[in-house]
Amino acid sequence: MIIKPHELTPVTASEFCRLVHEVGVPKGVVNMVVTQNAEAASLLVECPIPNWLFFN
């Protein structure tokens, strides 16, 4: 899972990632990308590897 929170409010997503690892989910299962670069978001959307994308 790749989480890309809004670049101005990453704290909730960061806490979620910390809790996920704390409960024993292996590293690499949940990843967070924080950037103001629109190209990075486009790369995530265009990548053929993920089967699902969720935006909120």
Side-chain angles (χ1 to χ4, degrees):
M1 174 189 300
I2 301 171
I3 300 171
K4 194 223 171 273
H6 190 276
E7 61 270 4
L8 299 178
T9 57
V11 176
T12 302
S14 180
E15 183 66 10
F16 172 77
C17 289
R18 186 188 68 76
L19 291 171
V20 164
H21 292 297
E22 188 176 292
V23 298
V25 175
K27 288 185 178 184
V29 173
V30 177
N31 301 282
M32 186 171 83
V33 176
V34 180
T35 181
Q36 292 183 350
N37 184 342
E39 185 178 339
S42 295
L43 290 172
L44 289 173
V45 171
E46 295 169 4
C47 181
I49 295 173
N51 293 325
W52 295 87
L53 293 174
F54 296 97
F55 298 94
N56 54 21

